[in-house]
Amino acid sequence: MSLSGIFPIDKWSFTTQSILSILSDEEYSFLIGRQGEQRYHKGEIVFREGVVPYGIFFIHQGKVKKYKVDPSGREQIIYVANNGELIGYHAVLSEERYPDFAAAMEESVISFIPKDDFLTVLNNSPIFANRLLKSLSHEYSVLANNISVFAQRTAIERLSIALIVMREKFKIETPPGKEIIIEISRNDLANIAGIAKENVIRLLKELKSESIIQTEGRKIWVTDLEKLIARSNYK
């Protein structure tokens, strides 16, 4: 089921996938094609907050969470990046250290793109630079929306929104006609929604009792998307 017209998913997703689509074959090959690929296991760190950036990262396969860690050690997941997305370029562009952590949420294949290669393409392609600027502006809107919505929502509304957004993330890699399965730890789901793990477990049972979702271990199926959107109370 599509979210078109019933939930504004564009307010929750970045757009770096579309940025790369405007590169010429030569530019894409220079930026992505000639870089080596590295496999990251679930939980493995891609980059750390406070480290000087020497380049950016392209996700060929898998999902990467970007997150902050508070003084007590608890994570707050800011964004989940999918295959086809770039991460780490904010620090390169601002000439600052990485502002957050990034870690693989599942088995992932990622390329490291040296800073000089990224800046070469950026400086030689006005179209790419313009699209990246638009993407950065959109990302600000996404983060502002995230902060505003989650600051004012109840726990069940936050969790419902998190499930809707994650369903779209997993939908991208699901073949047409196949059931969309959200496979995520309860800790990560809690850190996305900004609520305690115990509340996530309790609220998932509540949604399951209402026939809105089904669960099996880490796996979650949304069986009634319209009811889940209604529970999110988000328009």
Side-chain angles (χ1 to χ4, degrees):
M1 181 178 184
S2 170
L3 290 177
S4 179
I6 58 175
F7 186 87
I9 192 62
D10 58 303
K11 292 185 177 181
W12 297 90
S13 299
F14 293 170
T15 57
T16 55
Q17 289 166 317
S18 65
I19 292 174
L20 296 175
S21 67
I22 57 93
L23 294 175
S24 67
D25 291 342
E26 183 180 357
E27 289 168 335
Y28 186 89
S29 178
F30 179 83
L31 189 64
I32 307 293
R34 70 194 188 103
Q35 314 297 345
E37 297 178 5
Q38 181 175 342
R39 185 169 294 277
Y40 288 78
H41 300 298
K42 181 182 179 297
E44 191 171 352
I45 298 294
V46 179
F47 58 76
R48 295 180 182 276
E49 181 178 1
V51 172
V52 175
Y54 292 99
I56 66 173
F57 299 84
F58 175 75
I59 306 169
H60 291 274
Q61 177 185 325
K63 292 178 180 58
V64 174
K65 59 182 178 182
K66 297 187 67 186
Y67 62 96
K68 302 281 285 186
V69 179
D70 67 19
S72 67
R74 179 174 175 175
E75 293 179 11
Q76 176 61 59
I77 296 177
I78 302 166
Y79 184 71
V80 175
N82 255 7
N83 56 301
E85 292 193 57
L86 295 170
I87 58 172
Y89 56 90
H90 303 83
V92 170
L93 293 173
S94 63
E95 297 184 340
E96 297 176 348
R97 297 172 185 268
Y98 288 122
D100 47 29
F101 289 85
M105 291 182 69
E106 59 188 30
E107 291 289 315
S108 301
V109 178
I110 302 171
S111 285
F112 172 76
I113 302 171
K115 176 180 177 180
D116 288 346
D117 288 1
F118 172 60
L119 294 178
T120 294
V121 173
L122 187 66
N123 291 330
N124 291 336
S125 176
I127 297 175
F128 180 64
N130 182 60
R131 186 68 68 87
L132 185 61
L133 180 60
K134 287 183 179 179
S135 179
L136 286 168
S137 299
H138 176 68
E139 287 179 25
Y140 174 82
S141 298
V142 169
L143 294 175
N145 176 66
N146 190 309
I147 293 169
S148 173
V149 169
F150 278 2
Q152 302 172 27
R153 299 282 162 168
T154 64
I156 186 61
E157 289 170 347
R158 292 183 187 187
L159 180 60
S160 297
I161 291 170
L163 288 171
I164 293 165
V165 172
M166 290 309 300
R167 179 183 179 275
E168 284 299 293
K169 297 286 182 183
F170 282 89
K171 180 180 179 180
I172 291 173
E173 62 194 34
T174 303
K178 294 288 186 178
E179 195 166 26
I180 302 167
I181 302 173
I182 304 168
E183 189 163 353
I184 187 172
S185 73
R186 300 303 181 255
N187 272 331
D188 279 343
L189 194 53
N191 293 336
I192 292 170
I195 57 181
K197 178 183 174 181
E198 295 75 15
N199 282 341
V200 166
I201 294 170
R202 176 179 60 82
L203 292 171
L204 286 176
K205 289 180 179 177
E206 184 178 314
L207 291 173
K208 190 173 181 179
S209 71
E210 297 173 12
S211 299
I212 294 175
I213 65 168
Q214 288 294 325
T215 64
E216 182 183 313
R218 287 164 46 97
K219 297 177 180 179
I220 302 171
W221 294 263
V222 178
T223 53
D224 195 324
L225 185 56
E226 290 186 345
K227 282 187 179 179
L228 185 61
I229 291 171
R231 292 293 256 133
S232 77
N233 194 30
Y234 183 71
K235 300 177 176 64

